[in-house]
Amino acid sequence: MTQILSHNSHDLLPMQIVPVIASFNDDGQIKPLYVGINGERYKVASCWVRRSFSNQIEFHCRLIDQDLLKPVIITYYLNECIWTIPDNPKNAAP
């Protein structure tokens, strides 16, 4: 019998790893500025932060998609230094 051990907090969750350009200040605050989803780059118009667990931060953002503002939740994993979005049709692409 084979066992699989996950070393990362994001291994078994239904999510998509995405590239993000973010600002990090001296006080430890993080602000996503742009996010890449399905090969497209979107500017973050606004967001608010919710700390989910000790090693991740959840950003509830509004992305600019042409003339529309579209909501997306972007999660930053502090230990792995990766950004993800939920892998579902409602939230995976603006």
Side-chain angles (χ1 to χ4, degrees):
M1 182 169 152
T2 304
Q3 290 183 320
I4 298 174
L5 176 64
S6 172
H7 296 287
N8 297 313
S9 55
H10 56 81
D11 281 347
L12 301 176
L13 299 175
M15 65 179 70
Q16 176 182 359
I17 296 174
V18 293
V20 172
I21 297 174
S23 170
F24 295 77
N25 71 14
D26 293 337
D27 297 328
Q29 294 176 331
I30 305 168
K31 180 180 179 185
L33 304 173
Y34 293 90
V35 60
I37 301 173
N38 298 330
E40 298 289 327
R41 183 169 58 171
Y42 300 94
K43 182 174 176 49
V44 176
S46 64
C47 66
W48 59 273
V49 178
R50 184 179 130 213
R51 215 175 245 287
S52 298
F53 298 100
S54 61
N55 70 336
Q56 67 188 48
I57 304 170
E58 200 173 83
F59 295 87
H60 294 254
C61 301
R62 297 218 177 261
L63 304 181
I64 300 172
D65 183 9
Q66 296 179 16
D67 292 334
L68 301 172
L69 290 177
K70 298 199 175 176
V72 68
I73 298 172
I74 307 169
T75 304
Y76 181 64
Y77 291 81
L78 297 166
N79 294 342
E80 294 91 4
C81 297
I82 63 165
W83 297 85
T84 65
I85 58 172
D87 195 15
N88 64 47
K90 284 175 44 178
N91 199 22

